Amino acid sequence: MAPTIDCPACGAPASAGFRFCEACGTPLHGVPAPQLAVEWVSSSTAPQRCEACGHTAFTPDGYCEQCGQRGPTGPDHSEFDLGLVAGVSDIGHRHERNEDAFALGGLPGTALVAVCDGVSSSSRGDAASHAAVDAALPVLRTALTEGSHPERAIGRSVHAAREAVAAVAGPDQGNPPSCTFVAAVVAAGAITVGWVGDSRAYWLPDGAVPRQLTVDDSLANELIASGMPADEARAQPHSGALVRWIGVDADDGPPKVLTFTPEGPGRLIVCSDGLSRYRSAPEALASATPTGPPLAVARQLTQLALDAGGVDNITVVVVPYPPAAPAEGSAQ
């Protein structure tokens, strides 16, 4: 039998002759992983373990084959690197399961991102977030290949996410699964983001003023939009409460969208509030964001949130701008 080693990231067994883990793509011997062309990847596909017994095999309907407990929809920790874009998701220190999900994809010279955060007050927020990204990313990619403007493509992806989350909810809708949503299309000429909820996108330009591209769908921001002074709105009870989300108990209006053309190079950061709660202001996030390859930056920002308390699930996606020239890419 060929010798095997355990992946240092996910623990999956691999042949000692392999250069990277087949389960999650992590380099096995301290060398850069070769890049493999992929259309899109999702945290739903990363390895996961049963919360009760640690077993790694599940039935098709999601129950542990060893102890019978329903398994998590996604893993506690996942990482992917497509070259054009990289992301990390982590359960954090306080939650029993990771209710964040993300999917990454690419077209020649274009990076695609979808990040969802399960609403903690809903049932099976993890199922909602994973269903949403798994439905949204391929629709986003297909819409762009068919010639749709990125804003329209994101609108189509949100519609697909809503349908997927509704399917997860099924007929019992007393406290249906729900999640936030943010997507991005990063091409050579423009960056487009669309969102529902309070997951965020930040633009961190090289040597210029950073900005938050998204505006949280919160009670405070709704009050501010209606004319209430910002300080007064933020002092209201439940000012941070969501007023929009993805779920059968939410409105089905279009996402908010923004398209702009950066004046120079920089990085787009797309994240759940597991990171933004610790570095909410664009300037604070920019000062905490290191230089380096996208995956290394995503890992360090995730660690920053963990070191700050990690009270929520954390997802961080990093997209350099302008996008790199098309290359043979890898999923990690």
Side-chain angles (χ1 to χ4, degrees):
M1 179 180 293
T4 63
I5 57 176
D6 290 338
C7 171
C10 72
S15 169
F18 288 1
R19 294 180 63 190
F20 63 96
C21 174
E22 288 188 313
C24 71
T26 298
L28 296 173
H29 303 288
V31 298
Q35 294 193 331
L36 308 171
V38 297
E39 294 183 350
W40 69 281
V41 293
S42 161
S43 52
S44 295
T45 63
Q48 54 188 307
R49 295 179 182 275
C50 175
E51 297 167 353
C53 68
H55 198 58
T56 57
F58 298 87
T59 64
D61 53 353
Y63 291 88
C64 176
E65 290 185 351
Q66 180 164 286
C67 72
Q69 177 167 306
R70 184 168 185 173
T73 304
D76 290 351
H77 185 91
S78 56
E79 301 183 359
F80 293 100
D81 187 355
L82 303 187
L84 288 169
V85 53
V88 174
S89 184
D90 191 90
I91 191 173
H93 295 315
R94 304 287 183 86
H95 283 242
E96 294 183 355
R97 66 178 66 212
N98 190 354
E99 296 191 345
D100 282 4
F102 73 102
L104 311 177
L107 293 165
T110 301
L112 312 177
V113 179
V115 170
C116 291
D117 179 357
V119 176
S120 59
S121 60
S122 71
S123 65
R124 298 294 291 178
D126 57 335
S129 60
H130 282 281
V133 298
D134 285 353
L137 206 291
V139 168
L140 177 61
R141 192 176 188 279
T142 297
L144 292 169
T145 60
E146 293 173 349
S148 291
H149 186 278
E151 291 186 2
R152 180 172 175 79
I154 288 176
R156 288 173 59 180
S157 74
V158 168
H159 179 73
R162 286 192 172 111
E163 290 189 330
V165 173
V168 168
D172 182 10
Q173 298 179 359
N175 183 25
S178 57
C179 63
T180 67
F181 180 96
V182 59
V185 178
V186 182
I191 294 174
T192 299
V193 296
W195 68 97
V196 178
D198 62 356
S199 291
R200 294 183 179 181
Y202 292 87
W203 168 239
L204 309 184
D206 294 350
V209 178
R211 55 186 288 209
Q212 181 181 328
L213 302 177
T214 55
V215 178
D216 294 354
D217 286 316
S218 66
L219 175 60
N221 285 331
E222 189 174 69
L223 293 172
I224 292 169
S226 70
M228 183 179 288
D231 289 346
E232 183 179 345
R234 295 185 181 116
Q236 297 298 309
H238 311 296
S239 61
L242 289 177
V243 295
R244 296 190 74 213
W245 58 89
I246 300 288
V248 296
D249 58 345
D251 73 74
D252 59 357
K256 295 177 181 176
V257 292
L258 171 70
T259 298
F260 77 104
T261 300
E263 296 182 353
R267 289 169 291 181
L268 180 73
I269 307 294
V270 183
C271 64
S272 66
D273 61 358
L275 172 65
S276 61
R277 68 172 55 241
Y278 297 113
R279 294 293 188 276
S280 180
E283 297 80 6
L285 180 62
S287 65
T289 302
T291 58
L295 182 59
V297 173
R299 284 172 171 167
Q300 291 183 63
L301 288 176
T302 300
Q303 191 61 51
L304 179 153
L306 290 169
D307 292 344
V311 299
D312 203 349
N313 307 143
I314 306 152
T315 298
V316 183
V317 176
V318 180
V319 192
Y321 180 90
E328 293 290 319
S330 87
Q332 286 191 10

